[in-house]
């Protein structure tokens, strides 16, 4: 699009040279936001009470919020899920990753993509908001039989719906990793 419009931009500016003809992957006008709530009973293990699991998950998330080194690994796990869906549906997964990680660095420090908190009733609440520049009109989403089949399986026909599916996968992956870290350990409980 930028390349196609470069002549018009040049004419509007009265000549000169149009330099870079690319948009940013930091697509802050295309944010996907998902929210989920989990009861302590849903998070309990055979040996750990659900309320204790909620508190341990919040402590693990707190470390990611306080330390950009931990946030980087925390976010890598979120992106494992998002990128997998992106690849399966013919999206530019590297652009999605670049935008998501850049979004985490907007502000004073790099932080986690997810936000976890405890509701008044003791439930765990999670939110993920991330730029999601995805599309269904052209590219691999239209020409790849595998991508088309995966989009059909997902039942999405709008880019915004695909973005929400991808964000939900990221939030679910993050919960699974945090729960494993907070209970049995990442090797036993997640990998």
């Amino acid at each position: 699009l930028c390349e196609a419009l470069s002549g018009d931009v040049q004419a509007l500016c009265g000549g000169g040279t149009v330099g870079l003809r690319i948009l940013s992957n930091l697509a802050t006008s295309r944010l996907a936001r998902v929210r989920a709530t989990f009861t302590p009973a849903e998070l309990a293990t055979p040996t750990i009470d659900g309320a204790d699991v909620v508190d341990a998950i919040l402590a693990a998330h707190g470390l990611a919020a306080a330390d950009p080194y931990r946030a980087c690994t925390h976010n890598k796990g979120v992106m494992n899920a998002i990128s997998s869906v992106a690849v399966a549906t013919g999206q530019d997964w590297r652009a999605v990753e670049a935008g998501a990680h850049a979004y985490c660095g907007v502000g004073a420090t790099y932080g986690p993509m997810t936000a976890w908190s405890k509701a008044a009733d003791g439930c765990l609440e999670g939110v993920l908001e991330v730029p999601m520049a995805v599309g269904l009109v052209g590219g691999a989403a239209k020409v790849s039989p595998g991508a088309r089949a995966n989009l059909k399986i997902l039942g999405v026909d709008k880019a915004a719906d695909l973005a929400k599916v991808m964000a939900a996968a990221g939030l679910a992956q993050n919960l699974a990793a945090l729960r494993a870290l907070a209970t049995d350990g990442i090797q036993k409980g997640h990998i």
Side-chain angles (χ1 to χ4, degrees):
L1 179 64
C2 291
E3 290 175 354
L5 294 175
S6 63
D8 295 331
V9 170
Q10 189 175 21
L12 285 171
C13 294
T17 302
V18 176
L20 298 177
R21 296 175 216 143
I22 189 166
L23 297 175
S24 173
N25 289 318
L26 182 53
T28 56
S29 63
R30 295 178 69 185
L31 297 175
R33 182 179 177 91
V34 293
R35 175 183 305 273
T37 302
F38 304 91
T39 66
E42 292 171 318
L43 298 169
T45 74
T47 59
I48 305 173
D49 179 72
D52 293 334
V53 174
V54 169
D55 290 339
I57 287 171
L58 292 174
H61 178 263
L63 182 56
D67 179 22
Y69 291 87
R70 177 65 201 130
C72 180
T73 303
H74 177 98
N75 293 341
K76 189 250 341 159
V78 172
M79 292 312 299
N80 281 345
I82 291 174
S83 295
S84 297
V85 178
V87 169
T89 58
Q91 305 304 308
D92 183 350
W93 63 276
R94 291 299 298 138
V96 171
E97 281 201 2
H101 285 289
Y103 189 67
C104 294
V106 173
T109 61
Y110 181 83
M113 292 177 187
T114 59
W116 294 96
S117 61
K118 186 173 8 177
D121 63 1
C123 290
L124 181 69
E125 296 181 339
V127 175
L128 172 66
E129 181 180 81
V130 65
M132 199 68 70
V134 297
L136 303 177
V137 175
K142 281 294 180 194
V143 299
S144 167
R148 287 195 320 268
N150 290 331
L151 289 165
K152 185 175 181 179
I153 290 167
L154 290 173
V156 296
D157 57 5
K158 290 185 252 175
D161 293 338
L162 176 58
K164 289 175 189 173
V165 167
M166 292 168 68
L171 187 64
Q173 167 71 14
N174 187 235
L175 175 62
L178 288 173
R179 184 176 179 273
L181 285 168
T183 59
D184 297 327
I186 199 74
Q187 292 297 319
K188 182 178 178 187
H190 188 63
I191 294 180

